[in-house]
C-alpha cells in the first residue's frame, strides 16, 4: 500500500486517536490488506489489520476477468471440468467478497473463539471498539511460523505432537462442528515457545453442510477399514466422484492410490511418479470438485503440505489417517457404554413404529415419494440434455432439408442429404 493510500485508509478507519504508537511499516502483507504493530493508550501491544484502499472495486474487476476467461475457454473442457471450474470460481468469488469486509472477519473471529474456546488453540482477542469494515484491532500474538524448523528445534518442540494437535483440531472443526478455518497456511498458523498453536486471520471461515460432513466421516471410515466400496460411495455423496461413475473401476483406482501412499518403502518422488501414472490412466473418469468440497480439499492439501516440511513421505494416508481414525467415534457420536446404546434404542423405538405406520399408510394410498439427491438429479439432467439434444439436432437437419426443398427446388439433392442425415442420427441414437 502506498503512503498516501495508507494515510487515507488510516483516517477512514480511525476517527479518533486510538494508538499511543503505530508502526507504519507492515509486518505482514497480502492481497486484501496488511498488518501493523501498534500500541493502545494503555501500552497494550496490538496487531492492526488494514484493508487496502479500493480493494472491493479491484476484487469485482478480478471476478469479472475470471468469469470472462472461464466463458472463453469453457468449450475446451469436459462436462465435469466445467462444473469443477465453475465451483471454484463461485466459491472464490463469494469468499473474496466477504474477505474485503473486515466486519465479517471480526464476527468470524468472535464466533470461532467462542466455539473453540476449549480446544487448546489460541486466537487473538479483538478490540471491537476500534474495529470497522476497513480495520481490525486485535491482541498481538507472539509466535513463529508453523514451518519454522529452526524455532521448533530451538524450543525443543516435537513436530509430531504439533501436527497431531493440528489434525485433531481440524477433526473437531470439520467432522464434529462443521465449522472450520479454511486458510491454515504457515503465515496464519503460529506456534509459541510453549508449543501452543495460534490461529490467525479469520477472513476465510466456512460451514460444512451436514450431509457433506457425514460423507467425509464415511469416507474416512471406509479408508481406515480398507473398505473402498464405502470410500467410493462416500465420495459420490460428497460429490467428488460423479454419481454415474463405474463403482468397480473407482474402487480399483482408490485401492491403487492407497497402496502407493501407505507404502513406507517408497520415497516421496516415487510416490508422486506412481500416483501420476495411475491418475494418467484414469484421466477420463468423472471426477468433480463441488462447491462444498473446494475448501475442504484446500485445507487437507495445506495440512499435508505442512507435514512434508518436517517429514519426508508425509501424506494423508500414512500419517494423518491414523489420527483421524482415533477421532471417528467422537465424530460419529458413538456411545461408549452398553447402557447408553440400550437407552438410545429404547428412546428411538416409538419413533420407528410411528414412521413405519406412516410408511404403510402412504403405500396403501399410493402416496409414496422417491427422493433424489443433488448428484442423482445432476446426472439425470445431464443424461436428458444429451439424449434430447441429439434428437433436436437430428430434427433440425430434417426440418432444414424440408425448408430447402420448398425454398429452392434446385437444392433438393442437398435437402435429401440433410433429411437422410437427420433420420440416420435418429436411428443410431441410443
Amino acid at each position: 500500500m502506498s503512503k498516501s493510500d495508507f494515510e487515507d485508509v488510516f483516517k477512514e478507519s480511525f476517527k479518533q486517536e486510538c494508538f499511543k504508537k503505530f508502526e507504519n511499516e507492515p509486518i505482514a502483507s497480502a492481497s486484501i490488506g496488511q498488518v501493523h504493530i501498534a500500541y493502545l493508550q494503555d501500552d497494550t501491544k496490538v496487531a492492526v489489520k488494514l484493508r487496502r484502499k479500493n480493494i472491493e472495486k479491484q476484487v469485482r474487476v478480478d471476478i469479472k476477468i475470471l468469469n470472462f476467461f472461464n466463458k472463453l475457454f469453457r468449450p475446451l473442457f469436459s462436462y465435469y471440468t466445467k462444473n469443477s471450474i465453475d465451483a471454484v470460481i463461485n466459491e472464490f468469488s463469494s469468499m473474496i467478497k466477504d474477505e474485503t469486509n473486515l466486519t465479517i472477519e471480526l464476527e468470524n473471529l468472535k464466533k470461532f473463539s467462542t466455539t473453540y474456546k476449549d480446544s487448546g488453540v489460541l486466537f487473538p482477542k479483538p478490540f471491537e471498539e476500534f474495529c470497522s469494515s476497513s480495520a481490525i484491532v486485535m491482541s498481538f500474538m507472539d509466535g513463529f511460523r508453523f514451518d519454522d524448523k529452526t524455532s521448533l528445534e530451538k524450543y525443543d518442540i516435537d513436530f509430531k505432537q504439533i501436527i497431531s494437535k493440528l489434525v485433531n483440531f481440524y477433526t473437531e472443526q470439520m467432522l464434529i462442528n462443521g465449522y472450520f478455518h479454511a486458510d491454515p497456511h504457515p503465515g496464519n498458523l503460529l506456534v509459541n515457545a510453549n508449543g501452543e498453536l495460534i490461529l490467525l486471520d479469520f477472513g476465510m471461515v466456512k460451514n460444512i453442510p451436514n450431509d457433506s460432513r457425514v460423507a467425509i466421516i464415511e469416507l474416512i471410515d471406509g479408508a481406515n477399514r480398507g473398505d473402498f466400496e464405502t470410500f467410493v460411495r462416500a465420495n459420490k455423496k460428497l460429490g467428488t466422484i460423479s454419481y454415474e461413475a463405474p463403482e468397480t473401476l473407482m474402487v480399483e483406482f482408490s485401492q491403487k492410490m492407497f497402496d502407493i501412499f501407505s507404502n513406507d518403502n517408497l520415497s516421496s518422488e516415487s510416490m508422486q511418479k506412481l500416483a501420476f501414472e495411475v491418475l494418467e490412466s484414469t484421466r477420463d473418469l468423472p471426477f468433480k470438485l463441488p462447491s462444498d468440497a473446494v475448501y475442504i480439499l484446500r485445507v487437507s492439501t495445506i495440512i499435508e503440505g505442512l507435514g512434508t516440511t518436517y517429514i519426508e513421505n508425509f501424506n494423508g494416508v500414512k500419517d494423518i489417517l491414523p489420527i483421524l481414525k482415533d477421532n471417528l467415534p467422537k465424530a460419529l457420536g458413538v456411545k461408549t457404554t452398553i447402557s447408553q446404546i440400550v437407552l438410545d434404542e429404547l428412546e428411538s423405538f416409538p419413533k420407528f413404529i410411528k414412521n413405519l405406520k406412516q410408511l404403510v399408510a402412504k403405500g396403501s394410498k399410493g402416496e409414496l415419494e422417491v427422493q433424489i439427491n443433488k448428484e442423482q438429479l445432476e446426472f439425470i439432467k445431464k443424461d436428458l440434455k444429451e439424449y434430447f439434444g441429439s434428437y433436436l439436432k437430428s430434427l433440425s437437419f430434417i426440418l432444414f432439408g424440408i425448408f430447402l426443398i420448398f425454398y429452392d427446388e434446385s437444392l433438393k439433392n442437398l435437402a435429401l442429404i440433410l433429411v437422410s442425415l437427420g433420420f440416420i442420427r435418429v436411428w443410431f441414437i441410443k
Side-chain angles (χ1 to χ4, degrees), residues 211-212 214-215 218 232-241 375:
D211 54 350
S212 296
V214 171
E218 291 174 354
V232 169
R233 284 195 290 270
N235 269 288
K236 287 187 176 185
K237 282 185 184 178
L238 187 59
T240 48
I241 296 175
E375 286 73 31

Side-chain angles (χ1 to χ4, degrees), residues 241-256:
I241 296 175
S242 175
Y243 175 74
E244 73 270 24
E247 191 163 306
T248 303
L249 197 59
M250 297 310 305
V251 167
E252 289 176 5
F253 165 76
S254 303
Q255 177 75 64
K256 286 178 183 177

Side-chain angles (χ1 to χ4, degrees), residues 323-334:
I323 303 171
L324 292 173
K325 178 189 70 175
D326 295 336
N327 285 280
L328 277 177
K330 187 178 178 183
L332 290 164
V334 174

